[in-house]
Amino acid sequence: EADGQARVLDAVVVGAGFAGMYMLHRLRSLGLSVSVLEAGGGVGGTWYWNRYPGARCDSESYYYSYSFSEELQQEWQWTERYPEQPEILRYLNHVADRFDLRRDIRFGRRVTEAVFDDDTGRWQLRTDGGERYAARFFITAVGCLSSANIPRIPGLDTFEGEWFHTGRWPHEGVDFTGRRVGVVGTGSTGIQTIPVIAEQAEHLTVFQRTANYSIPARNGPMEPAFQREVKANYDAIRRKQRDSTNGHPFDVSPRSALSVSEEERRAVYEAAWKRGGLQFRATFADLLTSKEANDTASEFIRAKIRETVRDPATAEKLVPRDHPFATKRPPIDTDYFETYNRDNVTLVDVRESPIVEITRDGVRTSSASYPLDCIVFATGFDALTGPLLDIDIRGPGGRTLRDKWSEGPRTYLGLQVAGFPNMFTITGPGSPSVLTNMPTSIEQHVDWIADCIEYMRGHELERIEATEEAEDAWGEHADEAVHRTLLPMAATSWYLGANVPGKPRVFMPYAGGFATYTRKCDEVAAAGYEGFLRTPAR
Ligand code: NA7
């Protein structure tokens, strides 16, 4: 069917990463006609774009994966404890082939505009190539960390070397051999890439604004015995993920860090440090709710940094002081702090001496100049709202999403926005996704959206739309939830939009826990989509 120049479908999904691929699979099973529009040249989303050296997932491979197909999770073999970017991309390509997804994915199409047409009740989408699509349902699967944040440092355009952002890495790779490299940023990405670049580069200068806590990953090969155990127990593992706060299948200790002796606490932290990974957060129940409890973990990590880094002045610069552990997304690493013991690595504290400009041949701070051949910006993303606002989204009556969110995002359950009917946002702001193991949240969001669309068909509804009241109530609930935690104490967190100059400071993810969130979503659905305005078909 054609509507003017547009290709007409039941649903258009934007993005072909973990979220868009599964959304396509679910909508197809409902018999809907669907196109997925993807800016990249292949599937994978985050794992298509983030090809920087050392790119790896911080969740463990056996559960950073889809759970919807028992055959899929039984047949796929992971090779490492933490999957490297190429392996995850191989996995997602395998999924695309196995479920024959590609025939409905259109690559190399960046959606620039989505406008609700009041006459037809359809969303009209336009791509950068001028193609048009029209659909009843407009579903965003654009990711949370996909809009690159490149700092506007004066002089960048005059730099005669090469510069890169980690989230837009050249597919052919970059050879740093014999080159003087600067890395700006010490978030999860910087912390993964710094040790790998240091091994190649002639010299590496790290420009650090905020020192970070990091836990050793302790990566290693996937042991066959462990793989067998996981595959025999997938049901229980998946259940545990769904019943958890963060979507990881960890046993979280029920004890307070303050309920045990100092000696016992130390032994618990030592064991977790040795075991490695994000599970460190699960050592005690109250690390994110009690500052006093958190201090014990933060101090333990600070001591580890001082022990690891030989030069005391460098160690002091690397010791985080401005935020409690895990109030910013905690990185995990392989030899991150050890890297500062290398002769070819220099740490520059740009909080102390800010970057003033980039010159033809390097970076100049307020106190020194650093000649460089390459600059790597590991400076993160315009998180959550960035990729949505990159599309010109206009609801009925021409109201723009940009205008609605001018003081920060507002959503109902992170899945819908009042004033934007039949638009669904997978992993939108207001959902817990970025505080969780991403595929776990994604599967829940996609299933909920697919069930909602099925319900609409069963009840002959043409439109579904969150009410302003439901949206306000969700915002208040989310606000209460985050204030029961220490998360608001991290003033420089991307959760708050603080990494992007001029962005409204609003805590964007839902911090009430994944299991609580899921329960709420299920209750809303069971009550016939409470909080949504439902318009019957004409
Ligand atoms: P992050 O976590 O946002 O880290 C970006 C880093 O870049 C962080 O250290 C920033 O310092 C630093 N940064 C940002 N802008 C500047 C400027 N203008 N000058 C100096 N330094 C700057 O991004 P990542 O890519 O590491 O990780 C994103 C998520 O991906 C991660 O949390 C996981 O969920 C996966 P700041 O801390 O803002 O002072």
Side-chain angles (χ1 to χ4, degrees), residues 15-31:
F18 262 100
M21 288 170 62
Y22 182 46
M23 192 77 246
L24 168 60
H25 181 65
R26 281 300 319 266
L27 292 179
R28 248 194 209 166
S29 70
L30 296 178

Side-chain angles (χ1 to χ4, degrees), residues 246-269:
N246 301 105
H248 298 268
F250 299 158
D251 290 310
V252 181
S253 166
R255 296 192 298 180
S256 160
L258 306 172
S259 70
V260 298
S261 69
E262 199 180 324
E263 201 185 346
E264 188 177 353
R265 194 162 56 223
R266 205 183 156 74
V268 169
Y269 288 146

Side-chain angles (χ1 to χ4, degrees), residues 145 149 151 153 166 184-190 207 209-210 328-329 350-351 355 378-381 434 492 494 499:
L145 299 158
N149 174 42
I153 303 172
T166 50
V184 183
T186 53
S188 299
T189 300
F207 298 90
R209 189 163 69 181
T210 306
K328 293 178 80 165
R329 160 67 150 74
V350 299
R351 184 71 60 84
I355 297 177
T379 44
F381 303 90
V434 293
T492 62
W494 59 256
N499 61 326

Side-chain angles (χ1 to χ4, degrees), residues 46-47 50 52 56 58 144-145 149-153 165-167 183-192 207-212 322-323 328-331 350-351 354-355 377-383 434-436 438 491-495 498-501:
T46 289
W47 303 105
N50 283 266
Y52 60 86
R56 193 180 286 286
D58 291 345
C144 302
L145 299 158
N149 174 42
I150 299 168
R152 288 195 204 104
I153 303 172
H165 184 276
T166 50
V183 172
V184 183
T186 53
S188 299
T189 300
I191 283 175
Q192 285 186 340
F207 298 90
Q208 169 190 275
R209 189 163 69 181
T210 306
N212 223 331
D322 353 341
H323 64 286
K328 293 178 80 165
R329 160 67 150 74
V350 299
R351 184 71 60 84
I355 297 177
F377 291 104
T379 44
F381 303 90
D382 182 351
V434 293
L435 300 177
T436 72
M438 216 22 119
T492 62
S493 164
W494 59 256
Y495 297 151
N499 61 326
V500 177

Side-chain angles (χ1 to χ4, degrees), residues 498-510:
N499 61 326
V500 177
K503 190 167 172 171
R505 300 289 168 97
V506 173
F507 193 89
M508 296 180 283
Y510 174 69

